[in-house]
Amino acid sequence: MHFRRTLLGLAMAATALAFTQGAIAQSAYKAEYKMSLVLGPPTPWGMAGKVWADLVRERTQGRINIKLYPGVSLIQGDQTREFSALRQGVIDMAVGSTINWSPQVKELNLFSLPFLMPDYAAVDALTQGEVGKRIFAAVDKAGAVPLAWGENGFRELTNSKKPIKSPDDLKGMKIRVVGSPLFSDTFNALGANPTQMSWADAQPALSSGAVDGQENPMFLFTILKMHTVGQKYVTTWHYVADPLIFVVNKDVWNSWTKADQEIVRKAALEAGQQEIVLARKGLVEADKPLMKEVAGMGVTVTEVSPAEREAFVKATRPVYNKWKNTIGADLVNAAEKAIAARGK
């Protein structure tokens, strides 16, 4: 009898302890979690953050309340510092660009290898397969919890001078690029003059003609009305793509209950799927309505043919080979195999 009472007492104590731990964990939740984004709504990128935050708030009955900070405002607009700030806890969660985080996670440079991915099926073959899992493992090792993929899209070339169909057309052109050494190497190999600057600095530079062109996903062309800053020529060449990654700071992640972690993960996967559809809208349909809209703004659109693309591939191959070892030759080989085997 005494033994049974002891067992009962232990069971009750264990229940009380579990309840107390649950209450402590619950009270350790922050009143608000800060999510960093480079772009806010109405861009697909900004919508990814909004959908994720809304789903999480609703499904956790407000236990996890997320506030969006677009324009990487938590780090004074310096998008290359975003991953470091996330690791340090200045940022709780983010939907971030593989390009912006590549200085801290070298494997993310994979997506910036020139002309690795010819189409959306190639992007999906990487992010949704074994390569994607390996990259998530690298992000996790670097200090953040990766949950889902999104997309910023293929980066196309625009300029104020002429249609660009070959590397020769780019010779001597001043092109604004993002702050990644791989981008500078690529444009140097094409004979252009790459200039690293933030978008805030790029707009007046494009307007005044101090810079001739830039590269970005096409949805930004219409949202930012790039034709009003002299960008009268567009070349669709799919030279690199920029997948987005939904992540949470490790300490924040570990402060949540297992059930809430699962809610946040599932919400990220759903938001990512919705966002990829938004990012590709107008570009995957047979008549590419987004490109028609751009042409309707008085812009000359040049679509690079497979033969013309080959000249760009050849010119940038030394850059590709140089960076292959930095990224990890076995990861690049796995990516090439996955792309070759993709279903088109």
Side-chain angles (χ1 to χ4, degrees), residues 10-165:
L10 282 172
M12 285 171 72
T15 308
L17 181 65
F19 183 78
T20 309
Q21 282 174 334
I24 289 168
Q26 209 65 59
S27 68
Y29 280 34
K30 298 184 188 183
E32 183 179 279
Y33 292 91
K34 297 180 169 80
M35 185 195 293
S36 180
L37 299 159
V38 170
L39 300 171
T43 67
W45 192 341
M47 291 309 292
K50 187 180 184 314
V51 171
W52 189 21
D54 289 349
L55 286 175
V56 169
R57 190 179 299 112
E58 179 190 317
R59 291 173 185 177
T60 61
Q61 281 89 47
R63 282 190 304 279
I64 299 176
N65 177 40
I66 301 163
K67 186 175 177 194
L68 271 51
Y69 288 84
V72 268
S73 55
L74 293 165
I75 39 169
Q76 293 74 51
D78 184 355
Q79 53 211 59
T80 54
R81 277 180 45 222
E82 189 175 50
F83 193 82
S84 303
L86 182 80
R87 207 164 33 193
Q88 290 154 5
V90 175
I91 292 166
D92 298 315
M93 49 212 302
V95 180
S97 150
T98 53
I99 297 167
N100 291 340
W101 295 353
S102 62
Q104 286 84 28
V105 188
K106 65 179 172 51
E107 290 85 352
L108 295 179
N109 284 294
L110 177 73
F111 300 104
S112 300
L113 275 177
F115 302 99
L116 168 68
M117 300 162 284
D119 49 35
Y120 287 111
V123 178
D124 293 340
L126 300 188
T127 59
Q128 308 308 312
E130 218 35 61
V131 169
K133 285 181 190 147
R134 282 172 67 175
I135 286 172
F136 269 19
V139 171
D140 190 82
K141 195 176 165 198
V145 181
L147 301 176
W149 291 98
E151 186 164 287
N152 198 25
F154 277 108
R155 298 178 76 89
E156 314 294 15
L157 188 63
T158 77
N159 82 96
S160 59
K161 294 270 164 69
K162 59 183 175 185
I164 290 169
K165 288 185 174 183

Side-chain angles (χ1 to χ4, degrees), residues 200-267:
D201 294 336
Q203 281 175 292
L206 289 166
S207 283
S208 68
V211 171
D212 302 313
Q214 61 85 52
E215 46 76 61
N216 252 313
M218 282 315 299
F219 71 79
L220 272 178
F221 193 98
T222 49
I223 286 172
L224 297 173
K225 301 183 168 56
M226 287 190 194
H227 61 296
T228 63
V229 291
Q231 300 304 284
K232 293 292 197 283
Y233 300 92
V234 169
T235 298
T236 55
W237 61 344
H238 279 21
Y239 89 117
V240 300
D242 181 24
L244 302 173
I245 305 180
F246 291 65
V247 299
V248 178
N249 165 280
K250 280 204 167 165
D251 291 336
V252 167
W253 180 256
N254 292 330
S255 75
W256 292 336
T257 63
K258 285 274 182 285
D260 281 346
Q261 286 175 353
E262 207 38 47
I263 288 171
V264 174
R265 186 191 302 279
K266 281 191 174 144

Side-chain angles (χ1 to χ4, degrees), residues 288-307:
K288 296 186 182 161
L290 182 58
M291 298 318 297
K292 280 190 167 164
E293 189 186 335
V294 169
M297 296 168 169
V299 173
T300 303
V301 177
T302 304
E303 194 172 338
V304 171
S305 71

